Structures are given as C-alpha cells and as structure tokens.
Amino acid sequence: MQMANVIGHRGCAAHAPENSLAGIRDAARVGCRWIEADATLLADGTVVLFHDDSLDRCTNASGFIREQDWEQAIQLDVGQWFGDGRFVGERMPLLRDALACCRALKLGFNIELKTHRGEGEQLGQAVGEIVGEETCDILVSSFDQAALFGFRQRNPHCPLAIIYDELPQDWEQQANDLNVVSIHLWERTLTKEAIEAVKQSGRDLYVFTVNDRRVAKRLWAMGVDGVFSDYPDTVLSS
C-alpha cells in the first residue's frame, strides 16, 4: 500500500484551514501518517497550495488564483474565513514549505495537481522539479492527465495516481499509459464492480471524501486501501 488507510484531506480540513501549514500540523496532531493537499500555479509560475479557481471562499479577497503572483498571494489571509478566529493571519504556503513541513513531521504527502486554465503540463513540470529528490514519502495525483504527463517528464520515479469522479471504461489503458500505482475515486459514485476492477489490476484504491468511520470500515472490508477524510481523527478512532 502506497499510503495509509486514512489520509488527511487538504491537511485536516474540518479542523483547520484547508491547504495550510496549520492544517498539515493539525493532521499530524490527530495521528495522520499521510496528508493530501492541492498544488496550483500562480501567474508568475510559483507553486502554492490552493484548491479553488476563485479566491472568494478561502481568502479575504476576491478574484482568481491564476491571476495572482507571489507578491500578491503572500498578502492574502487564508485563515480568516475559518472557524472562530484562531487562524487569522494564516498565509498561503509555497509547495516547498509544505514539503518541508511534512518532512519535519514525518508525514507522507499526496500532492494533487490542481489546474484551472489548461496549464496542466506546465504545473506538472513545475511540481516535478520542486519534488526533485525529496526524501519524504510522496505520491502525485490529478484529474488532469496532462499534468501527470508533465510531472513524469521531470520526475520519472515518483509514484502517480489518477483521480476520477467515476471510473471510465478506458481507465485501465489510461492507468497503463501513465504507469500509475493507484486510482482515487469518489465515494458517491463508487461501485463494488469498480473496487473489484481496480484491485484486480494490482493497483491501490483510495476513496474521497469519507467522514464517517462506519462508511470507512465498510469500504475497507470491500477492499478499499484507504480513504481521504476531513475528519481523520473521527475515522481513525477505535
């Protein structure tokens, strides 16, 4: 198994701002061994952690993430929107900073390549160069196969995964073309047949986003290797 049976989704998204260093630290605090977070490009080619196309939901500003450069992005507050004010002043992290945080906390890191305007290959290549010979455990995933191909051009050895909302008929050919080690599927569309097909291919299967331990236990019993969770503490509980 490439990762753990419970992966902190966007860090620890129910308890700290998603895609923040605070969220990564919180995931480690509650017992995660792996986290997932979204890497995306700014206008100047800087790679940061951020999920949405728009700034509106998770920052104190409006506009589009792809139009920001690093000097603008570092001024944004990515914690003010969250919870009770404990995270006011939290800044958008560089991917390099997130990697350093995971390394220090001995966390595995599933980097999801998040594209917004067709920049998949560019994003993949940029992340491939940043990851380089990184020593912490890393798996790179994306819905965008151009991003995965771009990453592979720069980094031929790091394990890859394809993400699907629903398993397509030609998934295995796509998986073979990229030599992926795992498939990541949406829990809402997951079927027993999809689980069996992925497992019979010899690949790991991870499912997003599961916040109920009873659901997680059922999926594990069906052969799913792991789940992404906003509440990893709940899903990890006995």
Side-chain angles (χ1 to χ4, degrees):
M1 188 166 66
Q2 291 290 319
M3 299 193 288
N5 66 343
V6 179
I7 301 103
H9 183 233
R10 301 181 193 169
C12 195
H15 300 307
E18 63 183 58
N19 289 310
S20 68
L21 297 186
I24 295 173
R25 290 190 291 266
D26 214 52
R29 180 186 62 81
V30 302
C32 286
R33 294 188 291 113
W34 275 78
I35 61 101
E36 176 268 353
D38 302 289
T40 198
L41 279 177
L42 299 179
D44 59 3
T46 303
V47 183
V48 297
L49 298 193
F50 201 75
H51 177 274
D52 293 2
D53 182 51
S54 167
L55 300 173
D56 295 51
R57 183 175 67 91
C58 292
T59 80
N60 61 334
S62 60
F64 298 99
I65 185 66
R66 195 66 178 89
E67 295 175 352
Q68 307 294 305
D69 62 26
W70 177 238
E71 288 187 2
Q72 294 169 308
I74 193 59
Q75 303 301 319
L76 299 174
D77 189 321
V78 300
Q80 179 178 318
W81 67 278
F82 188 92
D84 58 5
R86 289 178 297 136
F87 300 103
V88 170
E90 187 76 19
R91 299 303 173 189
M92 186 181 297
L94 294 166
L95 175 60
R96 292 185 187 278
D97 293 337
L99 283 164
C101 186
C102 287
R103 190 187 319 119
L105 295 169
K106 295 181 172 56
L107 290 173
F109 190 179
N110 175 192
I111 304 171
E112 181 177 338
L113 305 177
K114 183 64 66 173
T115 56
H116 298 291
R117 297 189 179 181
E119 71 281 9
E121 186 174 355
Q122 181 187 2
L123 172 61
Q125 290 180 356
V127 172
E129 291 178 359
I130 291 169
V131 168
E133 299 299 323
E134 177 62 49
T135 56
C136 69
D137 291 332
I138 294 172
L139 182 141
V140 171
S141 63
S142 189
F143 286 95
D144 188 328
Q145 292 179 44
L148 295 174
F149 275 111
F151 180 88
R152 182 58 80 220
Q153 290 171 20
R154 291 289 187 269
N155 194 311
H157 304 298
C158 183
L160 300 181
I162 303 178
I163 312 171
Y164 297 110
D165 282 332
E166 187 172 5
L167 196 68
Q169 288 188 344
D170 61 345
W171 72 270
E172 194 160 12
Q173 182 60 58
Q174 295 173 8
N176 288 338
D177 289 345
L178 281 160
N179 191 28
V180 303
V181 299
S182 63
I183 301 294
H184 301 178
L185 295 177
W186 192 19
E187 190 269 333
R188 292 185 188 179
T189 61
L190 187 68
T191 64
K192 179 181 178 182
E193 291 74 21
I195 295 172
E196 291 174 349
V198 173
K199 295 309 298 177
Q200 286 173 6
S201 79
R203 295 178 174 89
D204 289 347
L205 175 60
Y206 296 92
V207 175
F208 61 94
T209 303
V210 178
N211 294 327
D212 186 318
R213 180 163 174 80
R214 292 170 297 178
V215 174
K217 290 178 72 174
R218 175 176 57 82
L219 293 174
W220 293 329
M222 294 173 69
V224 168
D225 293 284
V227 298
F228 299 91
S229 183
D230 299 323
Y231 293 87
D233 50 339
T234 298
V235 178
L236 283 164
S237 65
S238 58

